[in-house]
PDB file of all heavy atoms in Angstrom:
ATOM      1  N   PHE A 218      86.941 128.041 -40.862  1.00 92.00           N
ATOM      2  CA  PHE A 218      87.064 128.072 -39.404  1.00 92.00           C
ATOM      3  C   PHE A 218      88.518 128.240 -38.975  1.00 92.00           C
ATOM      4  O   PHE A 218      88.808 128.977 -38.029  1.00 92.00           O
ATOM      5  CB  PHE A 218      86.482 126.802 -38.766  1.00 92.00           C
ATOM      6  CG  PHE A 218      85.033 126.930 -38.419  1.00 92.00           C
ATOM      7  CD1 PHE A 218      84.079 126.200 -39.109  1.00 92.00           C
ATOM      8  CD2 PHE A 218      84.621 127.784 -37.422  1.00 92.00           C
ATOM      9  CE1 PHE A 218      82.746 126.323 -38.796  1.00 92.00           C
ATOM     10  CE2 PHE A 218      83.287 127.915 -37.100  1.00 92.00           C
ATOM     11  CZ  PHE A 218      82.338 127.184 -37.793  1.00 92.00           C
ATOM     12  N   VAL A 219      89.439 127.572 -39.662  1.00 93.00           N
ATOM     13  CA  VAL A 219      90.859 127.738 -39.345  1.00 93.00           C
ATOM     14  C   VAL A 219      91.270 129.185 -39.569  1.00 93.00           C
ATOM     15  O   VAL A 219      91.955 129.786 -38.744  1.00 93.00           O
ATOM     16  CB  VAL A 219      91.718 126.767 -40.191  1.00 93.00           C
ATOM     17  CG1 VAL A 219      93.196 127.107 -40.085  1.00 93.00           C
ATOM     18  CG2 VAL A 219      91.462 125.332 -39.780  1.00 93.00           C
ATOM     19  N   LEU A 220      90.830 129.771 -40.686  1.00 91.00           N
ATOM     20  CA  LEU A 220      91.143 131.169 -40.967  1.00 91.00           C
ATOM     21  C   LEU A 220      90.520 132.100 -39.933  1.00 91.00           C
ATOM     22  O   LEU A 220      91.161 133.055 -39.492  1.00 91.00           O
ATOM     23  CB  LEU A 220      90.666 131.538 -42.371  1.00 91.00           C
ATOM     24  CG  LEU A 220      91.019 132.930 -42.868  1.00 91.00           C
ATOM     25  CD1 LEU A 220      92.524 133.107 -42.910  1.00 91.00           C
ATOM     26  CD2 LEU A 220      90.413 133.163 -44.233  1.00 91.00           C
ATOM     27  N   LEU A 221      89.304 131.808 -39.508  1.00 91.00           N
ATOM     28  CA  LEU A 221      88.658 132.628 -38.483  1.00 91.00           C
ATOM     29  C   LEU A 221      89.457 132.603 -37.186  1.00 91.00           C
ATOM     30  O   LEU A 221      89.710 133.653 -36.586  1.00 91.00           O
ATOM     31  CB  LEU A 221      87.231 132.123 -38.219  1.00 91.00           C
ATOM     32  CG  LEU A 221      86.474 132.788 -37.065  1.00 91.00           C
ATOM     33  CD1 LEU A 221      86.144 134.232 -37.402  1.00 91.00           C
ATOM     34  CD2 LEU A 221      85.212 132.003 -36.742  1.00 91.00           C
ATOM     35  N   PHE A 222      89.896 131.443 -36.744  1.00 92.00           N
ATOM     36  CA  PHE A 222      90.668 131.346 -35.506  1.00 92.00           C
ATOM     37  C   PHE A 222      92.029 132.027 -35.641  1.00 92.00           C
ATOM     38  O   PHE A 222      92.511 132.661 -34.709  1.00 92.00           O
ATOM     39  CB  PHE A 222      90.833 129.892 -35.065  1.00 92.00           C
ATOM     40  CG  PHE A 222      89.550 129.274 -34.595  1.00 92.00           C
ATOM     41  CD1 PHE A 222      89.109 128.072 -35.110  1.00 92.00           C
ATOM     42  CD2 PHE A 222      88.772 129.890 -33.638  1.00 92.00           C
ATOM     43  CE1 PHE A 222      87.920 127.498 -34.674  1.00 92.00           C
ATOM     44  CE2 PHE A 222      87.586 129.334 -33.194  1.00 92.00           C
ATOM     45  CZ  PHE A 222      87.154 128.139 -33.717  1.00 92.00           C
ATOM     46  N   ARG A 223      92.661 131.907 -36.815  1.00 91.00           N
ATOM     47  CA  ARG A 223      93.944 132.597 -37.024  1.00 91.00           C
ATOM     48  C   ARG A 223      93.765 134.105 -36.986  1.00 91.00           C
ATOM     49  O   ARG A 223      94.628 134.819 -36.470  1.00 91.00           O
ATOM     50  CB  ARG A 223      94.564 132.171 -38.347  1.00 91.00           C
ATOM     51  CG  ARG A 223      95.064 130.740 -38.270  1.00 91.00           C
ATOM     52  CD  ARG A 223      96.052 130.401 -39.292  1.00 91.00           C
ATOM     53  NE  ARG A 223      97.229 131.250 -39.193  1.00 91.00           N
ATOM     54  CZ  ARG A 223      98.124 131.338 -40.157  1.00 91.00           C
ATOM     55  NH1 ARG A 223      97.964 130.655 -41.255  1.00 91.00           N
ATOM     56  NH2 ARG A 223      99.172 132.106 -40.015  1.00 91.00           N
ATOM     57  N   VAL A 224      92.665 134.603 -37.530  1.00 92.00           N
ATOM     58  CA  VAL A 224      92.404 136.046 -37.507  1.00 92.00           C
ATOM     59  C   VAL A 224      92.190 136.509 -36.068  1.00 92.00           C
ATOM     60  O   VAL A 224      92.736 137.535 -35.644  1.00 92.00           O
ATOM     61  CB  VAL A 224      91.207 136.403 -38.407  1.00 92.00           C
ATOM     62  CG1 VAL A 224      90.685 137.796 -38.112  1.00 92.00           C
ATOM     63  CG2 VAL A 224      91.604 136.297 -39.864  1.00 92.00           C
ATOM     64  N   VAL A 225      91.411 135.769 -35.303  1.00 92.00           N
ATOM     65  CA  VAL A 225      91.150 136.158 -33.914  1.00 92.00           C
ATOM     66  C   VAL A 225      92.450 136.136 -33.107  1.00 92.00           C
ATOM     67  O   VAL A 225      92.726 137.054 -32.327  1.00 92.00           O
ATOM     68  CB  VAL A 225      90.077 135.235 -33.282  1.00 92.00           C
ATOM     69  CG1 VAL A 225      89.987 135.461 -31.790  1.00 92.00           C
ATOM     70  CG2 VAL A 225      88.728 135.483 -33.940  1.00 92.00           C
ATOM     71  N   VAL A 226      93.289 135.126 -33.300  1.00 91.00           N
ATOM     72  CA  VAL A 226      94.575 135.062 -32.599  1.00 91.00           C
ATOM     73  C   VAL A 226      95.456 136.231 -33.024  1.00 91.00           C
ATOM     74  O   VAL A 226      96.128 136.850 -32.201  1.00 91.00           O
ATOM     75  CB  VAL A 226      95.269 133.706 -32.855  1.00 91.00           C
ATOM     76  CG1 VAL A 226      96.723 133.728 -32.434  1.00 91.00           C
ATOM     77  CG2 VAL A 226      94.535 132.594 -32.143  1.00 91.00           C
ATOM     78  N   ASP A 227      95.439 136.565 -34.316  1.00 91.00           N
ATOM     79  CA  ASP A 227      96.258 137.674 -34.798  1.00 91.00           C
ATOM     80  C   ASP A 227      95.776 139.007 -34.239  1.00 91.00           C
ATOM     81  O   ASP A 227      96.595 139.887 -33.956  1.00 91.00           O
ATOM     82  CB  ASP A 227      96.250 137.715 -36.322  1.00 91.00           C
ATOM     83  CG  ASP A 227      97.241 138.723 -36.859  1.00 91.00           C
ATOM     84  OD1 ASP A 227      98.448 138.525 -36.642  1.00 91.00           O
ATOM     85  OD2 ASP A 227      96.802 139.714 -37.469  1.00 91.00           O
ATOM     86  N   ILE A 228      94.487 139.150 -34.065  1.00 92.00           N
ATOM     87  CA  ILE A 228      93.955 140.389 -33.479  1.00 92.00           C
ATOM     88  C   ILE A 228      94.508 140.560 -32.067  1.00 92.00           C
ATOM     89  O   ILE A 228      94.957 141.635 -31.680  1.00 92.00           O
ATOM     90  CB  ILE A 228      92.414 140.384 -33.481  1.00 92.00           C
ATOM     91  CG1 ILE A 228      91.893 140.543 -34.910  1.00 92.00           C
ATOM     92  CG2 ILE A 228      91.861 141.499 -32.598  1.00 92.00           C
ATOM     93  CD1 ILE A 228      90.395 140.325 -35.051  1.00 92.00           C
ATOM     94  N   PHE A 229      94.499 139.495 -31.274  1.00 90.00           N
ATOM     95  CA  PHE A 229      95.015 139.584 -29.909  1.00 90.00           C
ATOM     96  C   PHE A 229      96.532 139.727 -29.878  1.00 90.00           C
ATOM     97  O   PHE A 229      97.082 140.349 -28.976  1.00 90.00           O
ATOM     98  CB  PHE A 229      94.600 138.361 -29.087  1.00 90.00           C
ATOM     99  CG  PHE A 229      93.169 138.411 -28.650  1.00 90.00           C
ATOM    100  CD1 PHE A 229      92.234 137.543 -29.183  1.00 90.00           C
ATOM    101  CD2 PHE A 229      92.759 139.326 -27.699  1.00 90.00           C
ATOM    102  CE1 PHE A 229      90.913 137.587 -28.773  1.00 90.00           C
ATOM    103  CE2 PHE A 229      91.446 139.377 -27.280  1.00 90.00           C
ATOM    104  CZ  PHE A 229      90.513 138.507 -27.829  1.00 90.00           C
ATOM    105  N   ARG A 230      97.240 139.151 -30.849  1.00 87.00           N
ATOM    106  CA  ARG A 230      98.697 139.166 -30.868  1.00 87.00           C
ATOM    107  C   ARG A 230      99.263 140.523 -31.272  1.00 87.00           C
ATOM    108  O   ARG A 230     100.366 140.879 -30.859  1.00 87.00           O
ATOM    109  CB  ARG A 230      99.183 138.113 -31.855  1.00 87.00           C
ATOM    110  CG  ARG A 230     100.688 138.044 -31.961  1.00 87.00           C
ATOM    111  CD  ARG A 230     101.132 137.033 -32.981  1.00 87.00           C
ATOM    112  NE  ARG A 230     100.785 135.699 -32.517  1.00 87.00           N
ATOM    113  CZ  ARG A 230     100.560 134.675 -33.323  1.00 87.00           C
ATOM    114  NH1 ARG A 230     100.636 134.818 -34.610  1.00 87.00           N
ATOM    115  NH2 ARG A 230     100.263 133.508 -32.832  1.00 87.00           N
ATOM    116  N   ASP A 231      98.526 141.286 -32.075  1.00 86.00           N
ATOM    117  CA  ASP A 231      99.050 142.525 -32.638  1.00 86.00           C
ATOM    118  C   ASP A 231      99.176 143.599 -31.568  1.00 86.00           C
ATOM    119  O   ASP A 231      98.194 144.051 -30.996  1.00 86.00           O
ATOM    120  CB  ASP A 231      98.131 143.002 -33.762  1.00 86.00           C
ATOM    121  CG  ASP A 231      98.744 144.122 -34.566  1.00 86.00           C
ATOM    122  OD1 ASP A 231      99.900 144.485 -34.305  1.00 86.00           O
ATOM    123  OD2 ASP A 231      98.062 144.626 -35.473  1.00 86.00           O
ATOM    124  N   ASP A 232     100.418 144.010 -31.301  1.00 85.00           N
ATOM    125  CA  ASP A 232     100.664 145.045 -30.296  1.00 85.00           C
ATOM    126  C   ASP A 232     100.422 146.446 -30.839  1.00 85.00           C
ATOM    127  O   ASP A 232     100.318 147.394 -30.067  1.00 85.00           O
ATOM    128  CB  ASP A 232     102.098 144.942 -29.771  1.00 85.00           C
ATOM    129  CG  ASP A 232     102.317 143.676 -28.964  1.00 85.00           C
ATOM    130  OD1 ASP A 232     101.337 143.186 -28.380  1.00 85.00           O
ATOM    131  OD2 ASP A 232     103.459 143.187 -28.931  1.00 85.00           O
ATOM    132  N   GLU A 233     100.383 146.594 -32.151  1.00 87.00           N
ATOM    133  CA  GLU A 233     100.185 147.917 -32.755  1.00 87.00           C
ATOM    134  C   GLU A 233      98.734 148.389 -32.642  1.00 87.00           C
ATOM    135  O   GLU A 233      98.476 149.583 -32.686  1.00 87.00           O
ATOM    136  CB  GLU A 233     100.611 147.892 -34.217  1.00 87.00           C
ATOM    137  CG  GLU A 233     102.088 147.616 -34.409  1.00 87.00           C
ATOM    138  CD  GLU A 233     102.459 147.448 -35.862  1.00 87.00           C
ATOM    139  OE1 GLU A 233     101.582 147.631 -36.732  1.00 87.00           O
ATOM    140  OE2 GLU A 233     103.631 147.138 -36.136  1.00 87.00           O
ATOM    141  N   LEU A 234      97.806 147.449 -32.527  1.00 87.00           N
ATOM    142  CA  LEU A 234      96.392 147.817 -32.416  1.00 87.00           C
ATOM    143  C   LEU A 234      96.077 148.278 -31.004  1.00 87.00           C
ATOM    144  O   LEU A 234      96.535 147.680 -30.024  1.00 87.00           O
ATOM    145  CB  LEU A 234      95.492 146.626 -32.747  1.00 87.00           C
ATOM    146  CG  LEU A 234      95.319 146.255 -34.219  1.00 87.00           C
ATOM    147  CD1 LEU A 234      94.456 145.004 -34.333  1.00 87.00           C
ATOM    148  CD2 LEU A 234      94.703 147.377 -35.007  1.00 87.00           C
ATOM    149  N   SER A 235      95.271 149.318 -30.918  1.00 91.00           N
ATOM    150  CA  SER A 235      94.804 149.755 -29.602  1.00 91.00           C
ATOM    151  C   SER A 235      93.694 148.827 -29.136  1.00 91.00           C
ATOM    152  O   SER A 235      93.189 147.993 -29.896  1.00 91.00           O
ATOM    153  CB  SER A 235      94.301 151.192 -29.686  1.00 91.00           C
ATOM    154  OG  SER A 235      93.134 151.241 -30.488  1.00 91.00           O
ATOM    155  N   GLY A 236      93.296 148.991 -27.896  1.00 91.00           N
ATOM    156  CA  GLY A 236      92.208 148.166 -27.356  1.00 91.00           C
ATOM    157  C   GLY A 236      90.908 148.394 -28.088  1.00 91.00           C
ATOM    158  O   GLY A 236      90.136 147.458 -28.339  1.00 91.00           O
ATOM    159  N   LEU A 237      90.642 149.631 -28.453  1.00 94.00           N
ATOM    160  CA  LEU A 237      89.410 149.956 -29.186  1.00 94.00           C
ATOM    161  C   LEU A 237      89.423 149.331 -30.572  1.00 94.00           C
ATOM    162  O   LEU A 237      88.408 148.783 -31.022  1.00 94.00           O
ATOM    163  CB  LEU A 237      89.255 151.478 -29.274  1.00 94.00           C
ATOM    164  CG  LEU A 237      87.956 151.975 -29.892  1.00 94.00           C
ATOM    165  CD1 LEU A 237      86.770 151.521 -29.055  1.00 94.00           C
ATOM    166  CD2 LEU A 237      87.977 153.493 -30.008  1.00 94.00           C
TER     167      LEU A 237
END
Side-chain angles (χ1 to χ4, degrees):
F218 269 112
V219 169
L220 185 61
L221 174 69
F222 291 128
R223 289 200 60 195
V224 164
V225 170
V226 166
D227 188 64
I228 289 171
F229 284 111
R230 180 182 293 153
D231 191 4
D232 292 332
E233 296 174 5
L234 283 177
S235 67
L237 186 62

